[in-house]
């Protein structure tokens, strides 16, 4: 990934010291790190739809990481997700991965392992991100057409 500065890594973890340490590590690696103390804080504060990568604690008070992952999936937000857990179990990790998580790491995690997981998640998501952006631009352009132009476009498309 060439321009990491443009990439936001959202860190959702209820442990203050863990959030600070992860944010420092990711910032030092060239990412923009944003931190949230809970799933609810993320849902309230994140852009709609959120962009970048999600570094997500599994166990938190209130909605846990799996619940947040499910909410994002239902809303159609496909954010590459790396789970972190101090007490992960096989069932939770399988559930997270089946729901689309890129990786599942256990705390404490080595800096290199974490950075590689974030890099790999973003790299794997790059073609999907490009397609989502292409669709967004097409919809934006379509919204600028007047009714007559939309009718003509529809007829051109149907003539194929």
């Amino acid at each position: 990934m060439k321009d990491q500065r443009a990439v936001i890594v959202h860190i959702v973890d209820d442990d203050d010291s863990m959030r600070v340490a992860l944010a420092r590590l990711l910032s030092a690696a060239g990412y923009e790190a944003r931190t949230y103390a809970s799933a609810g804080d993320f849902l309230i504060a994140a852009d709609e739809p959120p962009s970048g990568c999600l570094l997500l604690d599994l166990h938190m008070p209130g909605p846990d990481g799996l619940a947040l992952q499910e909410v994002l999936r239902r809303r159609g937000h496909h954010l590459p997700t790396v789970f972190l857990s101090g007490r992960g179990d096989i069932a939770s990790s399988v559930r997270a991965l089946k729901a689309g998580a890129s990786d599942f790491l256990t705390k404490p995690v080595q800096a290199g392992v974490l950075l590689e997981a974030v890099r790999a998640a973003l790299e794997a998501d790059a073609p999907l991100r490009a397609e989502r952006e292409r669709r967004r631009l097409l919809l934006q352009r379509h919204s600028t057409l007047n009714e007559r132009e939309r009718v003509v476009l529809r007829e051109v498309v149907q003539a194929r």
Side-chain angles (χ1 to χ4, degrees):
M1 174 148 292
K2 292 186 180 158
D3 185 15
Q4 293 175 338
R5 254 315 150 199
V7 177
I8 301 166
V9 178
H10 302 276
I11 303 163
V12 183
D13 196 311
D14 62 316
D15 182 331
D16 294 339
S17 60
M18 180 61 73
R19 277 194 321 275
V20 169
L22 291 170
R24 284 183 181 155
L25 173 66
L26 290 161
S27 293
Y31 296 100
E32 179 183 338
R34 296 185 186 170
T35 62
Y36 312 88
S38 69
D41 287 351
F42 173 77
L43 290 171
I44 290 168
D47 300 331
E48 190 67 29
S51 62
C53 182
L54 186 59
L55 192 52
L56 184 55
D57 187 19
L58 179 63
H59 298 287
M60 295 181 283
D64 66 6
L66 291 169
L68 176 57
Q69 183 187 33
E70 174 62 19
V71 167
L72 293 173
R73 187 192 64 73
R74 278 195 318 243
R75 291 182 178 180
H77 302 321
H78 305 284
L79 210 56
T81 302
V82 175
F83 271 93
L84 281 173
S85 179
R87 33 180 196 166
D89 57 79
I90 292 172
S92 295
S93 60
V94 167
R95 188 170 154 211
L97 292 169
K98 280 187 173 182
S102 300
D103 212 334
F104 194 99
L105 306 173
T106 55
K107 296 176 187 175
V109 63
Q110 294 179 340
V113 171
L114 177 76
L115 292 173
E116 176 57 25
V118 169
R119 187 205 58 75
L122 288 164
E123 187 175 288
D125 186 59
L128 300 171
R129 197 169 46 252
E131 177 61 21
R132 287 190 299 268
E133 179 62 13
R134 187 185 72 78
R135 287 181 185 214
R136 186 191 67 76
L137 290 172
L138 287 173
L139 288 171
Q140 181 182 25
R141 289 178 185 152
H142 185 267
S143 71
T144 65
L145 299 177
N146 64 37
E147 187 55 37
R148 179 68 183 140
E149 291 168 329
R150 288 182 186 165
V151 168
V152 170
L153 176 62
R154 207 171 9 256
E155 290 183 17
V156 168
V157 170
Q158 289 174 351
R160 285 186 163 200

